[in-house]
Amino acid sequence: MPSLPQGLAARAARGAGRLSQKLGRGGGTTIPGLLLSRLRPEATAEMARSVSGGVILISGTNGKTTTARLVRAALDTNGARVVANTAGSNLERGVATALLDADGAEIALFEVDEAALPGLMAQTEPRVVTLMNLFRDQLDRYGELEHLVDRWRGAVAELDPAATVIYNADDPAVAEIAARHPNTVSYGIEDPRVGRDRLPHAADTTECRHCGASLHYEMVTIAHLGRWSCSECGLARSQPDVQATRVELHGLDGQRLSIATPRGPIELSLRLPGMHNSYNALAATATSIALDLAPEAFGPALAKREAAFGRAERTQIGNVRVTTLLAKNPAGANENIRTMLLEDHPLHLLVLLNDRTADGQDVSWIWDVDYELLLDSGRLASLTVGGDRGYDMALRFRYAGFDPQRLSVVPSVSAGLNTALGASETDGHLYVLPTYTALLEFQAVLAERGLVPAFWEDE
Amino acid sequence: MSIGDSQVRLCHLYPDHLNIYADRGNIAVLARRLEWRGLTLEITEAGLGDPIADDCHFYYLGGGQDRDQMLVAEDLAHKADPLRHAAEDGAVVLGVCGGYQLLGHGYTAADGQRMHGIGLLDLETTAGSSRLIGDVVLDVTLNGQSRTVVGYENHAGRTYLGGGCTPLGHLRRGHGNNGDDGCEGAVAGRRVGTYLHGPLLPKNPWLADTLLGWALDHAECPVELEPLDDDLERSAHAVAATRAGRKR
Ligand SMILES: [Zn+2]
C-alpha cells in the first residue's frame, strides 16, 4: 500500500479509534496508532518532530510506568503542555496513538517497552532517553537479556550526540551502554545502610561487559544493581551525578530520600514504598534536572504522587485493607516481598499467576523469586493462589516448604479474592500479588463490586 | 539404616551460569521428594574452574544464555573425565536445554562456529533460524512405565539423535528436538537430556521419582520410594497439558 498523506492518514486513524470505543471494544489507545503506521509508516517520526520541546523516552524492565508518572508530575509544575501515553500501550502503536492527540503539545513523554525502545529511538529522535534497568523478564517474548543489551547498545550508538541519556549507574549492563554517549546524567544509590551483602541467586549481569571477569560488588541493592567494579580490567561504576545519599524506607507508607544533585540537595518524601521506587524517584529527578526543571518546584510535586495502577495501590474492602503489588518478574517480585516484610502485621497473601502473552507464557520465573523469605519470616498467615496457572504457584510454595493443607487454590480471581478476604478478616490486611493480566482481571473484579472506577488498559 | 546410608549426593554443575530457566526448581524438587521420605539429598555446586568428584549419584546441568553456555563449554571439557567415569558407573546425568546440548557432541552456530560438548549422549545440535517456543506435552516410557510429561521449550538449537540414544518422548504438542521428527529429548541408560523446562520436575513428579530411584540404586540404597500426596502436582500437570492445546 502506498503511504497516505499525513492529514488523511491521521483522520482515518482517529476515526477508527473512536469507532472501536463506540462499539465498546476498547482499544482506543492502540488501534489508531496501529492503523496509522500502516497507512503512513513515517507518521510517528513526523509527528514527533512537530513537538516543539522534544520527546522524552523512559525505558527499562521495571519501574518505567511509575517513573513516567513522576516525570509527568514534575513537568506539570512548569505548565508545559504534555502529550503522554499514560493510560496506554508502551509499544510503537501506543506512542503513535498518543502523538495523534499531540496538537499544540510542547513536550512528549513516553514510557517505552524495552524491546520497542531501539525502534522508537530511531523514529522519534528523542531529546532525553532515560535508561533504567534490564532484568530477566519474559524470555519467551524478549529472548535472552544479552540480545536486548546488544540492541540498546546499537540504539545509543546511533543517537544524536546532543540528546541527553539519563542512566542508572548501578546497573552494570545499562551503565556500560550509556556511558559511551557524550551527554549523560547518571543516578544511583550511595547510602550503604540499605545495601545487601550478596547477589541474589538469579542475578542477571554478574560479569564484566568489557573483559568477562566476575564483577565484584561493594554493595548490592536490587538484583544485580549496586556498587560494582571489575577487578580484572578496572571497569567500575562511576560516581553518579544524582545520588541518594540517604534512603529511609517506611514500609508500605513510603520513604524519605536525601538526594545530592548538580543543582543542589533535594529532600524527598515519597508515598511510594520500597527501594525499587527509590530508583524510580532518582530516575525522575535526573530526568527533570536534564529538562532544566527546578528542584524546589518538582520536589513537592513528586511527593504528592501516589503509586501507579496496581503498584502498591490500596483499596479498603469491608474491614480489610487490600494492597496490590504487581509482580511480573523475579526482580520486581523480590522487592515486593522485601517491602511487605517491613510491615509488622501478619501477612495474608493472594498470589495470582497468569501465563498470557502480556505476562509471558513461560511460568518458570516464579522459581527464581525468593518466596522462601516469606516462609522464613514466620509471618505468612494465610496463602491463596489463583489465576490460570494457580497450581504452578501452589507447587512453588509446596516445594518452598509451605504445608499444602494450609494452602487454598482458587483459579477464579473473584472467588480467590473472597477466600483471601475471609482468611485475612481478623488481621485486616491482605496483599494481592498479580501478574499483569491478572492485575487487569483483579481490577475488573473490584470495578464490578463498585470499589474502583473501571479502567481501560491495553495489551 | 542410618542417615549416613540414606544420602544421595548430587552435583549441581554451573549454578551461576546455567540457571536461566529456574533450574533451582528442579533441584528443590529432588531434595524435597527425598526429604519427605526421610532421605537426604546432599548437594555440591561446581562452577567454572571447580573440580568435581566422580562419586556423586546425580549430576545436573541447566540452561544458560549463549554467552554463558560458551564459557561453560570450555570449562566442561576439563570435567568430562570424572563425569564420564560417573556415568559409566551408573550415576544419573540430567541436562536441560543448554545442558542437554552440551551433553551431546557439540553445537554448530549459524556462523559455523563450533562449541564442543562432552559426548555423553550421541547427538548433534545446529542453530536454527528461528526459536522453537511454547508449551510441550510428551508421551514418555521409562522403566517400562508410560506417562505424559509436560513442560515449556524455548531454544534455537535443532538436535538430532545418533544411534547411541533414544528419544525421551514422542510429542503430542510442541516442537521438540528439531521441529521435524516428532521426538523430544534423549535417553541412554541413566543419561537424560531434554529441552523441557517450566521447570521440568515440579509438574512431572513421576519423572522426578524415576530419576531419584536410579540415583538411589546407584547409591546402593535399597529403598522403595513410597507414593506421596501429589494432588497439586497432578492438577498443575493437567492444567499445563490443557494450556498446551490452546491457540494463543
Ligand atoms: Zn573487566
Side-chain angles (χ1 to χ4, degrees):
Chain A
M1 188 193 298
S3 183
L4 286 185
Q6 165 75 17
L8 189 58
R11 276 200 301 282
R14 283 196 198 97
R18 280 195 299 274
L19 184 64
S20 173
Q21 274 180 326
K22 263 193 197 130
L23 295 173
R25 306 181 82 105
T29 61
T30 59
I31 285 175
L34 196 58
L35 186 62
L36 183 63
S37 62
R38 297 269 163 79
L39 298 176
R40 188 171 173 82
E42 61 273 44
T44 302
E46 289 167 350
M47 292 186 299
R49 232 171 281 138
S50 72
V51 179
S52 58
V55 172
I56 308 161
L57 301 180
I58 296 177
S59 193
T61 310
N62 286 347
K64 52 190 175 286
T65 304
T66 300
T67 302
R69 284 167 58 96
L70 291 173
V71 174
R72 175 65 188 263
L75 282 171
D76 286 346
T77 60
N78 85 345
R81 290 177 64 189
V82 183
V83 59
N85 58 342
T86 34
S89 145
N90 58 23
L91 303 174
E92 192 202 324
R93 64 187 85 138
V95 168
T97 303
L99 281 168
L100 273 170
D101 295 324
D103 278 349
E106 291 158 300
I107 198 150
L109 168 67
F110 299 120
E111 62 151 294
V112 176
D113 175 89
E114 54 272 37
L117 180 70
L120 278 165
M121 279 171 71
Q123 287 189 71
T124 63
E125 297 173 10
R127 170 180 165 195
V128 174
V129 182
T130 302
L131 305 177
M132 300 185 61
N133 51 60
L134 284 172
F135 297 114
R136 186 182 298 186
D137 186 36
Q138 301 191 27
L139 298 164
D140 54 326
R141 274 211 308 157
Y142 294 117
E144 295 184 350
L145 193 63
E146 284 307 310
H147 299 155
L148 211 49
V149 171
D150 289 342
R151 292 185 55 221
W152 274 31
R153 184 181 290 113
V156 170
E158 296 290 311
L159 192 64
D160 179 352
T164 307
V165 172
I166 315 295
Y167 72 91
N168 187 344
D170 292 356
D171 186 325
V174 169
E176 191 263 347
I177 292 167
R180 296 156 181 254
H181 190 73
N183 183 13
T184 61
V185 181
S186 63
Y187 63 90
I189 291 179
E190 283 293 311
D191 187 348
R193 292 169 312 152
V194 292
R196 295 157 191 157
D197 53 358
R198 63 184 185 88
L199 287 167
H201 61 83
D204 291 301
T205 304
T206 52
E207 279 125 32
C208 175
R209 321 298 303 182
H210 201 237
C211 72
S214 285
L215 288 180
H216 167 75
Y217 280 82
E218 205 177 311
M219 164 173 123
V220 175
T221 52
I222 294 174
H224 62 274
L225 308 187
R227 225 183 282 172
W228 54 272
S229 62
C230 173
S231 46
E232 290 289 318
C233 73
L235 185 69
R237 168 184 182 269
S238 56
Q239 192 75 12
D241 302 313
V242 171
Q243 43 182 285
T245 50
R246 193 179 153 85
V247 177
E248 236 179 71
L249 299 171
H250 301 301
L252 278 152
D253 294 327
Q255 58 189 295
R256 279 188 67 84
L257 294 176
S258 303
I259 306 176
T261 81
R263 296 280 204 89
I266 306 176
E267 292 294 319
L268 272 187
S269 269
L270 295 169
R271 296 191 192 182
L272 310 172
M275 225 187 319
H276 52 300
N277 277 314
S278 315
Y279 277 110
N280 296 340
L282 286 168
T285 300
T287 305
S288 302
I289 283 173
L291 293 166
D292 286 326
L293 298 171
E296 316 75 83
F298 72 73
L302 300 194
K304 287 198 202 98
R305 270 287 165 186
E306 301 276 354
F309 171 57
R311 282 84 167 171
E313 196 179 37
R314 286 168 161 182
T315 317
Q316 190 73 28
I317 306 183
N319 58 351
V320 179
R321 172 129 96 154
V322 179
T323 306
T324 309
L325 297 159
L326 171 70
K328 54 194 175 89
N329 52 39
N334 281 336
E335 284 323 294
N336 288 343
I337 288 167
R338 288 176 195 280
T339 303
M340 282 190 290
L341 288 174
L342 294 174
E343 298 293 291
D344 55 11
H345 44 253
L347 299 172
H348 296 272
L349 260 57
L350 170 61
V351 190
L352 301 171
L353 177 65
N354 278 359
D355 65 348
R356 301 176 199 176
T357 307
D359 304 299
Q361 297 177 6
D362 182 358
V363 295
S364 299
W365 66 271
I366 63 173
W367 294 83
D368 280 331
V369 179
D370 295 322
Y371 295 111
E372 281 79 2
L373 292 175
L374 290 168
L375 274 67
D376 295 346
S377 77
R379 285 161 48 209
L380 184 52
S382 79
L383 177 61
T384 308
V385 297
D388 299 337
R389 296 299 281 261
Y391 283 104
D392 279 82
M393 193 55 89
L395 288 184
R396 175 67 187 88
F397 278 93
R398 165 159 153 89
Y399 284 97
F402 193 75
D403 178 3
Q405 303 298 323
R406 293 177 55 215
L407 178 90
S408 307
V409 189
V410 189
S412 140
V413 170
S414 183
L417 175 61
N418 291 342
T419 303
L421 283 172
S424 55
E425 212 163 27
T426 46
D427 288 318
H429 289 274
L430 171 66
Y431 295 89
V432 181
L433 278 60
T435 56
Y436 189 73
T437 68
L439 172 63
L440 299 184
E441 277 185 79
F442 182 67
Q443 170 86 7
V445 167
L446 294 184
E448 273 166 28
R449 299 184 188 188
L451 293 163
V452 293
F455 185 88
W456 277 121
E457 190 151 0
D458 282 289
E459 283 303 293
Chain B
M1 188 174 60
S2 74
I3 291 292
D5 298 327
S6 70
Q7 286 203 341
V8 175
R9 289 191 297 276
L10 177 140
C11 178
H12 185 180
L13 288 145
Y14 310 106
D16 295 335
H17 290 86
L18 301 182
N19 64 12
I20 192 169
Y21 296 121
D23 296 279
R24 74 170 189 146
N26 287 329
I27 307 291
V29 167
L30 295 170
R32 289 287 186 193
R33 295 186 72 81
L34 283 182
E35 183 192 319
W36 291 332
R37 286 137 162 162
L39 303 165
T40 316
L41 187 70
E42 185 188 301
I43 301 164
T44 54
E45 298 188 341
L48 297 176
D50 296 338
I52 59 165
D54 63 2
D55 63 349
C56 291
H57 311 113
F58 202 130
Y59 294 82
Y60 181 84
L61 283 113
Q65 305 201 56
D66 292 351
R67 199 175 62 137
D68 290 321
Q69 196 177 337
M70 256 157 52
L71 285 173
V72 163
E74 283 173 33
D75 188 84
L76 189 61
H78 304 294
K79 296 182 170 70
D81 281 344
L83 260 175
R84 190 170 300 110
H85 288 155
E88 280 163 6
D89 264 10
V92 181
V93 182
L94 174 61
V96 173
C97 212
Y100 170 36
Q101 295 167 350
L102 290 171
L103 289 179
H105 301 299
Y107 183 102
T108 309
D111 60 3
Q113 217 186 342
R114 184 149 171 90
M115 178 163 50
H116 290 284
I118 55 171
L120 280 188
L121 287 169
D122 181 18
L123 51 91
E124 263 300 327
T125 305
T126 53
S129 53
S130 59
R131 292 190 80 83
L132 304 178
I133 302 176
D135 293 295
V136 184
V137 184
L138 299 178
D139 288 313
V140 174
T141 301
L142 289 172
N143 288 359
Q145 292 180 304
S146 296
R147 295 283 198 288
T148 57
V149 164
V150 295
Y152 197 88
E153 63 182 331
N154 183 350
H155 54 104
R158 306 293 193 268
T159 296
Y160 295 90
L161 309 190
C165 54
T166 54
L168 170 65
H170 296 274
L171 291 162
R172 288 195 187 188
R173 301 278 176 189
H175 307 283
N177 282 339
N178 47 51
D180 290 330
D181 63 13
C183 294
E184 206 293 320
V187 183
R190 290 172 179 170
R191 305 164 197 187
V192 179
T194 177
Y195 278 115
L196 296 198
H197 58 269
L200 172 70
L201 297 179
K203 289 191 287 287
N204 299 299
W206 165 77
L207 182 59
D209 283 353
T210 301
L211 299 172
L212 285 173
W214 290 347
L216 283 163
D217 181 62
H218 181 49
E220 294 177 350
C221 184
V223 195
E224 278 291 308
L225 289 173
E226 66 211 62
L228 297 169
D229 178 357
D230 286 334
D231 280 353
L232 290 175
E233 284 83 349
R234 270 189 290 277
S235 297
H237 182 107
V239 169
T242 312
R243 302 288 290 169
R246 83 213 130 135
K247 279 217 170 83
R248 290 201 258 201

